[in-house]
Amino acid sequence: MTDTQTSVVDEDDRALKAKHRAMWASGDYPALASDLIWSLGPHLIGAVGVQAGDRVLDVAAGSGNAAIPAALRGATVVASDLTPELFDAGRRRAREAGADLEWREADAEALPFPDDAFDATVSCVGVMFAPHHARSSAEMLRVTRPGGRIGVLNWTPEGFVGRMFATMKPFNAPPPPGVQPAPLWGDDAHVRELFGASVTDFSAVRETVTIDRFDTGRRFREYFASHYGPTIAVYRRIADDPVQVAALDAALDELADAMIADGGMQWEYLLVTATVR
């Protein structure tokens, strides 16, 4: 690749990352994480086996639902994210919990940490949204010491959140070349390929989290359209087309209504843990 081509690629990548940052800064993802999925962070940290004294990196940490539980176990923790606008809510939550950790702006595809810097590197429904999966997985491997642990928890393509993204796809702009769908990180074979021979003790388990906040599809859709960056972005794109807006409303309502049961919605995720060679 020539220098000119490299410059264009770099500029395109910067523009894409800026778009991602703005998307996740919109709405109120920290409130959503607190309201719906905070329990997933401690579950991931427990599965990885984080202990007091461990050096832990949380990649695409958001407001810290994995980083804070790791710090409460006595680990030395860095919570990193492309969108530092999410950190203020995380810092407040950490103070309330009595957790001490570092918050660091960082691109998951170019982590600003040296090789072998951490005993454990984790991500809870975060790194899956980095656009180039091979880059971000390679970075997680690079910064984790040999014998250290990697743990990722991601929505599956077949589960509710994966189906929500599939529902929104026809209303969204086509992704740039080379950008991979986030829910692929919830596919066992895909994650095995990403980490490959660089890890041992690879484990991938499908589990679900119960979401009992919504009693109708409409209430789910209204909440996500005001809180969740990817949903907000799609609605903004079609805001001037009332037919498209009505069609997306109906599609999301139908999807959620079909999933709501007496015990609440069941959202499936893939929990992966592995040891770095």
Side-chain angles (χ1 to χ4, degrees):
M1 184 178 293
T2 66
D3 289 345
T4 300
Q5 289 172 315
T6 300
S7 178
V8 171
V9 170
D10 288 347
E11 185 61 33
D12 288 346
D13 191 61
R14 283 192 290 270
L16 177 62
K17 300 298 174 57
K19 183 177 179 181
H20 275 226
R21 174 175 173 170
M23 178 182 71
W24 288 107
S26 66
D28 194 345
Y29 184 77
L32 183 150
S34 179
D35 290 345
L36 304 181
I37 59 169
W38 197 263
S39 64
L40 296 182
H43 183 46
L44 172 61
I45 295 303
V48 173
V50 170
Q51 299 178 4
D54 284 347
R55 300 163 299 162
V56 177
L57 174 65
D58 187 359
V59 178
S63 52
N65 71 321
I68 292 171
L72 290 174
R73 286 182 169 226
T76 300
V77 180
V78 178
S80 67
D81 202 285
L82 183 69
T83 307
E85 290 87 346
L86 305 175
F87 290 167
D88 284 346
R91 290 188 180 102
R92 287 194 299 271
R93 181 113 187 194
R95 284 195 301 269
E96 291 168 0
D100 183 25
L101 62 153
E102 178 183 352
W103 301 84
R104 181 86 174 267
E105 181 179 347
D107 180 351
E109 298 181 0
L111 293 170
F113 307 109
D115 296 355
D116 307 335
F118 298 96
D119 300 300
T121 302
V122 301
S123 185
C124 185
V125 295
V127 73
M128 65 183 293
F129 294 102
H132 307 101
H133 299 183
R135 294 183 196 171
S136 52
S137 58
E139 282 293 272
M140 293 184 76
L141 289 166
R142 179 184 65 78
V143 301
T144 309
R145 66 167 177 82
R149 298 281 283 165
I150 283 181
V152 289
L153 188 156
N154 298 306
W155 304 121
T156 66
E158 300 85 4
F160 177 77
V161 178
R163 292 170 63 188
M164 180 187 71
F165 275 94
T167 299
M168 295 191 300
K169 183 178 179 180
F171 302 90
N172 212 347
V179 171
Q180 296 172 284
L184 272 179
W185 267 98
D187 178 80
D188 180 329
H190 181 68
V191 183
R192 285 179 185 272
E193 183 177 356
L194 288 175
F195 291 129
S198 298
V199 300
T200 61
D201 304 322
F202 183 95
S203 170
V205 181
R206 289 186 179 226
E207 300 176 340
T208 60
V209 59
T210 300
I211 307 296
D212 57 8
R213 184 182 180 93
F214 311 109
D215 57 0
T216 67
R218 177 177 178 175
R219 289 186 178 178
F220 159 80
R221 183 250 303 167
E222 290 174 345
Y223 183 93
F224 265 63
S226 62
H227 285 69
Y228 193 57
T231 307
I232 292 168
V234 174
Y235 272 106
R236 284 179 176 171
R237 181 176 184 268
I238 62 175
D240 294 331
D241 188 337
V243 174
Q244 287 272 81
V245 171
L248 180 54
D249 284 351
L252 289 175
D253 288 358
E254 180 182 3
L255 173 67
D257 277 329
M259 293 289 291
I260 292 171
D262 290 341
M265 306 169 81
Q266 302 297 316
W267 293 5
E268 185 182 66
Y269 58 85
L270 185 73
L271 175 61
V272 171
T273 58
T275 302
V276 176
R277 290 187 185 276

